[in-house]
């Protein structure tokens, strides 16, 4: 089986963690060709060539691919599709934007958020906010799927494989990029961090949310948030963990002032160890916590920061 | 400008989902069903564009079982003008796949000629996050997914999108598909008088067969299982005890 893996490339750089995890899923299916697309993607291509499991890297460079707008990237992938049985990508927002479009261009059904690969046609994926896990078997000739990275270990490294450039179809001109407002942070990436400290509505304000950041910095952790914290403006949207935000599975997840709604649990319940700090002993978060502490977070969180 | 909004009838987001013991699926009989929350946000946005004078008509469409009429009535009560139900299944447990839904919507778009389709970014039952993107591909239209801000000027829409790294703003040429995220707006509740008025608004019924679309699934659900349960945890009495436990485990 021939597999095309769309690498996660942002601003010309390979996002190693997401791509390496999707590679592990891809390698189970066959020989993997990695596609690096962007306004500049050569450096990403060089990096991808050293990912264990890559047999070839394709580099597609064109201004139209610069911000990974769905129309142009989907058109590129569709133009390459003939040679592959599987087309995969890590389930990032970029890939979720692009791959369903690719699937429809190929008249196949996309398989989103694959959490386990059973065989060439059969995959597991969470549904109903992770309340159920479905095993689905695709009858389509080609399989187009996004890979939930928390379900797979990152692939290791190898001696670089061959890198080729591919022709890019003409730009569709359907949409134009205007601007990115990307948060620069010294903290580790939320989806690959070993420790995540998350805050919820219980923090009460953007200013108070700083105590979550302080604990995270003490631990070298990433910061997450519940939807309520994001909706209330205490935290930016890219910190949201959950059914419709990011899915994380760190070694340690510390939930502070988060009640534990099913939509939040969907994004963190595969964490190895979960700590919950909440003043309400009835809060559902305690049902899935390994260590629960009933306390006022305004006392407990700074104390924890001090004592660690 | 006409706006088309697809809406899906799904299990209410507050209902605890029960996986059937025989692994055949999730129990949906006698369970509270509601409009997919993201679709409520899409309906709200379309109505606001009409209230601002940008849109002239808001048409809502639902694809599925006949009970989806209730979902359409909710959208009409919120302020949509007209509804179309496309019957594509008899059993409430049948989920029509996004590809088939997109094909049906493409036919409806052909008939209705909207300039904008506003859809939810994902349905909270199958969690596919695909219909809008697929429809956009089938029509060859521009797409802007995960919108947290939307403005329409002339023949283009400016959309701010929630992406992994933060926010991205793009400009899409109309006609376009926009899929909406949680922060776009807060949907209104339908008032009682509007619920009464909605009963008289037009609701057309078609079938997938009328539209010539094959809705046979491409993915066969082999099994539906409960997720792995977590081992029971313990309560700690103090911050000191918590620190001790975390150190013992080598986590900090
Ligand atoms: C379609 C849809 C998608 C959604 N997607 C997501 C998602 O991706 N992620 C997500 O998180 N949510 C999501 N939600 C929202 C979800 O249902 C909950 O509303 C949300 O997770 C609640 O956030 P919270 O726990 O911070 O707030 P609340 O439920 O209000 O809980 C706040 C908690 O803080 C505690 N608290 C308050 N003060 C203190 C204090 N001083 N000390 C200690 N504890 C305190 C309270 O006891 C309470 O348990 C979604 C909802 C819908 C409908």
């Amino acid at each position: 089986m021939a597999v095309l893996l769309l690498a996660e490339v942002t601003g010309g750089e390979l996002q190693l963690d997401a791509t390496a995890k999707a590679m592990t899923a891809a390698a189970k299916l066959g020989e993997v060709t990695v596609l690096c697309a962007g306004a500049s993607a050569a450096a990403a291509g060089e990096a991808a060539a050293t990912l264990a499991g890559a047999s070839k890297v394709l580099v597609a460079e064109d201004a139209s691919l610069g911000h990974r707008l769905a129309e142009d990237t989907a058109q590129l992938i569709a133009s390459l599709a003939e040679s592959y049985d599987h087309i995969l990508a890590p389930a990032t927002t970029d890939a979720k934007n692009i791959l369903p479009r690719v699937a429809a261009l190929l008249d196949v059904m996309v398989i989103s958020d694959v959490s386990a690969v059973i065989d060439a046609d059969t995959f597991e994926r969470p549904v109903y906010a992770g309340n159920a896990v479905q095993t689905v078997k695709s009858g389509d000739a080609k399989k187009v799927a996004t890979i939930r990275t928390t379900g797979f270990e990152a692939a290791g490294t190898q001696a670089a494989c061959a890198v080729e450039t591919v022709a890019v179809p003409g730009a569709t001109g359907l949409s134009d990029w205007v601007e990115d407002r990307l948060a620069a942070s010294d903290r580790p990436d939320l989806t690959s961090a070993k420790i995540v400290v998350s805050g919820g509505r219980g923090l009460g304000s953007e200013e108070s949310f700083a105590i979550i950041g302080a604990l995270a910095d003490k631990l070298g952790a990433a910061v997450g948030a519940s939807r309520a914290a994001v909706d209330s403006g205490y935290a930016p949207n890219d910190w949201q963990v959950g059914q419709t935000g990011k899915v994380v599975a760190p070694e340690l997840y510390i939930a502070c002032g988060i009640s534990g709604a099913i939509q939040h649990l969907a994004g963190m319940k595969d964490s190895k160890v979960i700590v919950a700090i909440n003043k309400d002993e009835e809060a559902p978060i305690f049902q899935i916590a390994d260590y629960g502490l009933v306390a006022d977070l305004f006392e407990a969180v700074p104390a924890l920061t001090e004592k660690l | 400008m006409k706006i088309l909004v697809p809406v899906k009838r799904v299990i209410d987001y507050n209902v605890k989902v029960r996986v059937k013991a025989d692994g055949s699926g999730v129990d949906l009989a006698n369970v509270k069903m509601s409009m997919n929350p993201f679709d409520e946000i899409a309906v709200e946005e379309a109505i606001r564009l009409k209230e601002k004078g940008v849109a002239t008509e808001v048409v809502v469409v639902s694809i599925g079982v006949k009970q989806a009429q209730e979902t359409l009535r909710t959208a009409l009560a919120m302020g949509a003008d007209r509804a179309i139900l496309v019957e594509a299944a008899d059993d409430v447990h049948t989920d029509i796949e996004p590809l088939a839904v997109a094909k049906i919507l493409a036919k409806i778009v052909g008939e209705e000629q909207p300039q904008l389709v506003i859809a939810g970014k994902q349905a909270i039952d199958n969690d596919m996050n695909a219909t809008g993107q697929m429809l956009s591909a089938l029509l060859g239209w521009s797409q802007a997914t995960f919108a947290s801000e939307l403005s329409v000027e002339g023949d283009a829409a400016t959309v701010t999108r929630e992406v992994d790294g933060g926010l991205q703003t793009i400009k899409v040429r109309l006609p376009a598909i926009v899929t909406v995220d949680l922060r776009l707006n807060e949907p209104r509740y339908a008032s009682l008088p509007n619920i009464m008025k909605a009963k008289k608004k037009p609701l057309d019924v078609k079938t997938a067969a009328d539209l010539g679309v094959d809705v046979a699934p491409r993915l066969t659900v082999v099994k539906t299982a409960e997720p792995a349960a977590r081992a029971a945890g313990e309560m700690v009495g103090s911050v000191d005890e918590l620190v001790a436990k975390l150190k013992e485990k080598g986590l900090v």
Side-chain angles (χ1 to χ4, degrees):
Chain A
M1 296 268 158
V3 184
L4 182 68
L5 172 64
L6 175 67
E8 182 74 2
V9 177
T10 43
E13 239 181 83
L14 180 72
Q15 302 300 313
L16 188 62
D17 185 73
T19 309
K21 286 174 175 167
M23 170 61 88
T24 299
K28 291 187 176 201
L29 293 163
E31 195 172 81
V32 184
T33 301
V34 182
L35 171 63
C36 293
S40 73
E46 295 300 329
T50 63
L51 259 185
S55 66
K56 187 166 48 170
V57 171
L58 303 179
V59 171
E61 286 190 332
D62 191 79
S64 66
L65 303 172
H67 304 282
R68 303 236 289 172
L69 299 180
E71 299 88 335
D72 293 301
T73 312
Q75 176 182 263
L76 166 71
I77 297 171
S79 77
L80 300 168
E82 206 189 341
S83 316
Y84 302 96
D85 307 294
H86 294 85
I87 298 172
L88 308 182
T92 58
T93 48
D94 272 354
K96 287 179 173 180
N97 189 28
I98 296 163
L99 283 211
R101 191 172 177 107
V102 172
L105 291 175
L106 302 175
D107 192 27
V108 304
M109 183 52 206
V110 71
I111 311 164
S112 306
D113 267 320
V114 166
S115 52
V117 174
I118 309 296
D119 63 35
D121 310 312
T122 316
F123 306 89
E124 277 181 17
R125 56 182 301 273
V127 290
Y128 294 97
N131 275 308
V133 180
Q134 261 184 1
T135 307
V136 293
K137 187 174 162 70
S138 169
D140 283 320
K142 286 186 197 301
K143 280 76 184 167
V144 176
T146 55
I147 305 298
R148 178 172 274 218
T149 50
T150 50
F152 301 89
E153 296 293 327
T157 54
Q158 65 176 19
C161 66
V163 179
E164 291 172 16
T165 53
V166 289
V168 177
T172 62
L174 287 169
S175 34
D176 293 309
W177 173 81
V178 178
E179 67 165 344
D180 285 338
R181 273 173 283 159
L182 306 182
S185 167
D186 295 334
R187 296 197 180 111
D189 177 54
L190 182 53
T191 50
S192 57
K194 293 231 165 351
I195 304 178
V196 173
V197 183
S198 278
R201 198 196 311 269
L203 270 300
S205 72
E206 191 182 355
E207 295 71 49
S208 309
F209 210 89
I211 64 172
I212 299 296
L215 175 56
D217 291 341
K218 186 74 179 273
L219 293 167
V223 180
S226 70
R227 175 193 172 181
V230 177
D231 284 4
S232 312
Y234 309 164
N237 66 279
D238 50 302
W239 290 4
Q240 182 179 311
V241 169
Q243 179 186 20
T244 54
K246 291 200 170 109
V247 178
V248 303
E251 300 289 318
L252 176 60
Y253 188 92
I254 306 179
C256 312
I258 292 178
S259 62
I262 188 71
Q263 292 86 3
H264 186 79
L265 305 189
M268 45 64 79
K269 70 181 162 56
D270 291 331
S271 303
K272 301 251 162 38
V273 172
I274 297 172
V275 170
I277 301 174
N278 196 304
K279 68 176 181 192
D280 172 12
E281 61 181 323
E282 302 284 316
I285 190 81
F286 288 129
Q287 289 165 20
I288 62 140
D290 297 281
Y291 303 111
L293 176 63
V294 178
D296 185 335
L297 67 87
F298 293 107
E299 284 160 24
V301 172
L304 194 54
T305 308
E306 197 191 298
K307 289 176 176 166
L308 281 169
Chain B
M1 181 178 81
K2 191 192 280 188
I3 301 179
L4 190 75
V5 183
V7 295
K8 186 176 185 183
R9 179 181 188 266
V10 299
I11 190 165
D12 187 86
Y13 82 95
N14 268 318
V15 171
K16 170 98 184 81
V17 167
R18 268 202 31 234
V19 177
K20 289 196 241 174
D22 64 359
S24 66
V26 157
D27 196 359
L28 295 177
N30 306 314
V31 164
K32 183 179 178 205
M33 304 294 279
S34 300
M35 192 189 305
N36 180 39
F38 288 99
D39 303 350
E40 284 184 351
I41 297 172
V43 172
E44 175 67 31
E45 195 67 14
I47 295 167
R48 288 188 191 182
L49 285 170
K50 189 180 170 198
E51 287 167 349
K52 281 186 202 149
V54 176
T56 48
E57 190 183 24
V58 176
V59 180
V60 287
V61 46
S62 192
I63 295 152
V65 291
K66 63 176 186 300
Q67 292 88 328
Q69 287 209 18
E70 295 159 20
T71 315
L72 289 167
R73 291 287 172 208
T74 305
L76 293 171
M78 286 172 73
D81 298 295
R82 198 150 64 70
I84 302 168
L85 171 68
V86 181
E87 288 186 6
D90 297 322
D91 181 350
V92 292
H93 293 91
T94 307
D95 189 35
I96 309 296
E97 284 175 355
L99 181 62
V101 170
K103 287 181 177 181
I104 289 170
L105 289 173
K107 298 276 184 180
I108 303 282
V109 165
E111 289 173 4
E112 295 285 338
Q113 299 288 318
Q115 281 293 93
L116 191 59
V117 176
I118 307 182
K121 80 163 179 180
Q122 94 190 51
I124 60 161
D125 50 4
N126 65 31
D127 278 334
M128 276 288 185
N129 190 334
T131 303
Q133 297 89 315
M134 292 189 130
L135 175 61
S136 178
L138 296 177
L139 296 169
W141 286 11
S142 41
Q143 80 181 43
T145 50
F146 324 146
S148 62
E149 271 175 69
L150 164 66
S151 67
V152 179
E153 309 95 12
D155 61 355
T158 302
V159 180
T160 298
R161 310 176 50 234
E162 294 200 356
V163 295
D164 284 341
L167 296 169
Q168 179 182 63
T169 303
I170 62 173
K171 197 166 183 168
V172 293
R173 205 167 72 198
L174 299 182
I177 316 279
V178 174
T179 79
V180 306
D181 218 316
L182 297 168
R183 252 75 58 184
L184 184 62
N185 62 47
E186 228 174 281
R188 71 193 66 190
Y189 290 102
S191 66
L192 198 57
N194 285 343
I195 292 171
M196 300 312 289
K197 261 201 268 173
K199 292 189 173 149
K200 299 203 187 72
K201 289 186 179 176
L203 191 157
D204 251 13
V205 182
K206 300 176 194 287
T207 67
D210 291 342
L211 296 167
V213 176
D214 176 10
V215 297
R218 304 295 187 83
L219 304 179
T220 311
V221 179
V222 181
K223 188 175 80 183
T224 305
E226 295 260 10
R230 289 188 71 89
E234 56 181 299
M235 299 305 284
V236 293
S238 67
V239 171
D240 288 320
E241 199 184 327
L242 177 59
V243 171
K245 295 277 183 195
L246 294 178
K247 287 202 167 141
E248 198 179 295
K249 284 247 169 185
L251 288 161
V252 293

